[in-house]
Amino acid sequence: MNKKTKKWLLILCFLAISVFLFFKFNERIKLIELTSIHVETENQLDVEKVIVYQGHYTINRKSDAEMFDNKYDRIVFEGSGTGKIKTEYGENDFLVTYDNKYYFQFRQFCTNDNDHYKYNLTVLKKDNRIYLKADIDGGMKFERQMNLISDAGKLRCNKTIDDEKGHYNGLELD
């Protein structure tokens, strides 16, 4: 090997080690947010009609309709990626809407503030119903039917409120 080749090899090794150390350091300090969201649709649904909000949706709400009044939500997907997704330690709440007619809200718990996630969401149509399928790094996977936004006043946490006293699946909530 000549001197020039050795020099380039040394530079490449230094760069590779630097990049590796940066990403290891970034796992601890989180200088760059590496969490991402990917949304797609199936069965002739239009991805341009999908909006994903990130916010805080308390389970102590009277009904799901309250979620649509939350002015502190951040849009993390609106027909295309916005690059504005950031997860934090604890509860990370998401509200997915389709065509301003359907919604589904879910919560993901992060046990480490420095973890990075890949949110893969699919809105699909089966049996004339709209579903949300989620596959999130860390093992969270589900497929659930989306709710009509017009029914949000009768639902809490995607489930029917049992009666006028505010019972929820047999539990009384204040």
Side-chain angles (χ1 to χ4, degrees):
M1 252 190 267
N2 64 24
K3 211 175 190 181
K4 192 175 184 180
T5 305
K6 286 182 184 178
K7 183 180 176 182
W8 279 108
L9 265 173
L10 186 61
I11 290 172
L12 285 174
C13 286
F14 175 76
L15 286 174
I17 291 170
S18 297
V19 167
F20 174 78
L21 290 175
F22 173 77
F23 281 105
K24 283 296 183 186
F25 181 71
N26 191 53
E27 287 178 6
R28 299 274 181 210
I29 305 300
K30 212 170 191 179
L31 296 171
I32 298 175
E33 180 60 62
L34 298 175
T35 297
S36 63
I37 185 167
H38 176 74
V39 180
E40 62 184 18
T41 55
E42 294 179 0
N43 305 331
Q44 290 111 15
L45 296 181
D46 187 0
V47 74
E48 295 292 322
K49 295 180 179 181
V50 178
I51 301 175
V52 181
Y53 301 90
Q54 185 178 12
H56 179 73
Y57 309 111
T58 178
I59 61 171
N60 294 324
R61 60 186 178 255
K62 292 187 188 311
S63 72
D64 284 352
E66 290 179 26
M67 293 186 303
F68 297 96
D69 296 331
N70 194 347
K71 305 298 182 216
Y72 303 105
D73 293 351
R74 176 176 49 196
I75 294 175
V76 294
F77 183 89
E78 188 172 18
S80 64
T82 63
K84 296 179 183 175
I85 188 165
K86 181 179 187 318
T87 54
E88 297 175 352
Y89 175 81
E91 301 167 353
N92 289 273
D93 296 332
F94 298 91
L95 174 63
V96 181
T97 65
Y98 179 74
D99 196 22
N100 292 319
K101 293 180 186 171
Y102 301 93
Y103 78 95
F104 192 84
Q105 185 264 321
F106 67 94
R107 173 173 286 168
Q108 182 212 13
F109 290 96
C110 295
T111 57
N112 186 335
D113 194 34
N114 297 318
D115 286 347
H116 305 284
Y117 297 93
K118 290 183 180 160
Y119 292 85
N120 296 301
L121 305 176
T122 305
V123 178
L124 57 120
K125 189 176 197 178
K126 288 193 313 191
D127 303 322
N128 290 323
R129 295 183 178 146
I130 306 297
Y131 287 81
L132 173 67
K133 183 166 61 172
D135 184 357
I136 302 166
D137 284 356
M140 185 176 185
K141 293 182 181 186
F142 64 85
E143 182 175 312
R144 300 282 187 275
Q145 183 177 335
M146 296 181 78
N147 308 297
L148 286 169
I149 291 174
S150 60
D151 290 341
K154 303 177 210 169
L155 303 170
R156 183 184 309 116
C157 301
N158 302 304
K159 304 220 185 240
T160 304
I161 300 169
D162 288 338
D163 60 28
E164 67 280 348
K165 289 184 179 179
H167 286 80
Y168 171 69
N169 287 347
L171 301 174
E172 189 172 334
L173 300 175
D174 294 329

